[in-house]
Amino acid sequence: MSATIASTPAADGYRMPGEQEPHSGCWIAWPERPDNWRLGAKPAQEAFAAVAEAVNVSEPVTVAVSDHQFEHCRSLLSASIRVVELSTDDAWIRDTGPTFVVDDSGGRRGVDWRFNAWGGLQGGLYVPWDRDDRVARKVLEIEGADRYRAPIVLEGGSVHVDGEGTVIATEECLLNPNRNPHLSRAEIEQTLFDYLGAETMIWLRRGVYDDETDGHVDNLACFARPGVVLLTWTDEQSDPQHAISRDALGRLEGATDARGRALEVVRIPSPGPLTITDEEASGVDALPGSRPRRAGDRLAASYANFYLGTTRVVFPLLDPRFDDAAGEVLRGCFPDREVVGLPAREILLGGGNIHCITQQVPALR
Ligand code: KQY
């Protein structure tokens, strides 16, 4: 049973923990739509299954899947992974799932943001999205956690928190007129503070170049822990990503977090530039209402889009020229965790990566 609560997490003493804090589980949703995943989603399903298995070593994983795919999905996963039937429009549970919040006396609840498929009818990625908008509520029912229905459109991948009162996000996404055009920057900030239990906002300007989410921060930068931010970086000045990352570096280095700390910024190399091949593009069904996949289009590839599990960091392998270096940066940031790289191009081809397809359930305190 999950009740809907009319107040806000902050008013009730709840906050979103940092991803570095211990988890009691992780949710993943199963990919199947052929207009986003090539070859009927079979290669993506293999990649998602590998992520599920890798995270399941760190914390128990639940996979949400349609009735249509249930048997197939179940057959690909270990028995220790829970598989539940739950309808979705696609597989981005970072964005469609709940943002869990906790208090200091063993309470855990969830925020159910409004979801419009990354822009609704003004540049959104598919129509309809109503099943996705119900995902958070259903996950909260299964988890037995009470729910706050937030009054704004927001995706979980568009914010990162340190768990100590600081939020990072991009203006490109949160201030985009296709999300909450009726709200000012100050009103959006206040809503985030109310629903994430935070008090300090650090605005970055843009996300990763050509990111179809309108620049989710989780593809650009994340907290390794309070006071330390990982930032996608390229020294290649002819790459438009360079100016984006340089601007973000300046903003992060000039910021003070909620505890009054200056931030340490750790640069993680940017892969590529990577583009879609002819073969990959031709494997995606072109259907009305969904975003076309065209050969030669740049992919929004980033090693910052990793899952920070309780005992393991699971990061995407994207480009043999940079995979080892990215792994070393992560090992330096997370010396007490096992750092595991998994082939992730098939996830990238769908428009996101490992962080976007996972949603942690924080441990009770
Ligand atoms: O980056 C994410 N959090 C989600 C990516 C969605 C891509 C949809 N095609």
Side-chain angles (χ1 to χ4, degrees), residues 36 90 92 94-95 118 125-126 157 211-213 216 218 293 305 350-353 356:
N36 194 52
D90 202 359
W92 307 100
R94 173 67 51 189
D95 294 344
W118 308 275
L125 300 179
Y126 47 75
D211 185 332
E212 66 192 32
T213 64
H216 274 190
D218 74 342
R293 299 290 178 202
N305 204 312
N353 226 296
C356 309

Side-chain angles (χ1 to χ4, degrees), residues 15-21 161-166 197 223 226 259:
R15 67 179 175 95
M16 179 185 179
E19 205 166 313
Q20 77 282 352
E21 296 179 48
V161 300
D162 65 359
E164 295 187 353
T166 316
F223 285 102
R259 297 282 175 101

Side-chain angles (χ1 to χ4, degrees), residues 57-139:
V57 173
S58 170
E59 55 228 42
V61 169
T62 303
V63 175
V65 62
S66 69
D67 175 56
H68 184 63
Q69 279 282 317
F70 183 87
E71 289 296 348
H72 176 58
C73 170
R74 179 67 279 172
S75 73
L76 290 181
L77 296 171
S78 302
S80 61
I81 294 179
R82 176 170 67 163
V83 180
V84 299
E85 184 192 335
L86 197 155
S87 309
T88 64
D89 293 301
D90 202 359
W92 307 100
I93 204 158
R94 173 67 51 189
D95 294 344
T96 60
T99 297
F100 285 96
V101 290
V102 296
D103 70 5
D104 289 332
S105 13
R108 181 170 59 210
R109 296 174 176 170
V111 179
D112 175 3
W113 309 98
R114 293 173 197 277
F115 180 77
N116 75 352
W118 308 275
L121 300 181
Q122 284 78 46
L125 300 179
Y126 47 75
V127 182
W129 54 80
D130 56 302
R131 286 184 297 199
D132 273 351
D133 194 32
R134 289 189 288 274
V135 167
R137 185 173 190 179
K138 293 174 181 176
V139 168

Side-chain angles (χ1 to χ4, degrees), residues 152-235:
I152 61 169
V153 171
L154 188 117
E155 304 94 42
S158 70
V159 288
H160 262 306
V161 300
D162 65 359
E164 295 187 353
T166 316
V167 186
I168 54 174
T170 69
E171 295 169 346
E172 179 187 356
C173 184
L174 267 58
L175 305 186
N176 196 305
N178 64 13
R179 301 306 208 279
N180 297 287
H182 55 296
L183 296 179
S184 67
R185 171 195 296 256
E187 288 168 328
I188 289 171
E189 261 185 29
Q190 189 56 53
T191 308
L192 291 178
F193 295 164
D194 292 343
Y195 283 83
L196 298 173
E199 67 220 43
T200 298
M201 186 84 197
I202 300 174
W203 285 102
L204 307 180
R205 196 165 72 78
R206 292 181 58 192
V208 164
Y209 180 69
D210 247 357
D211 185 332
E212 66 192 32
T213 64
D214 301 315
H216 274 190
V217 74
D218 74 342
N219 215 19
L220 178 78
C222 63
F223 285 102
R225 57 185 174 276
V228 180
V229 174
L230 275 154
L231 172 67
T232 302
W233 186 263
T234 177
D235 286 320

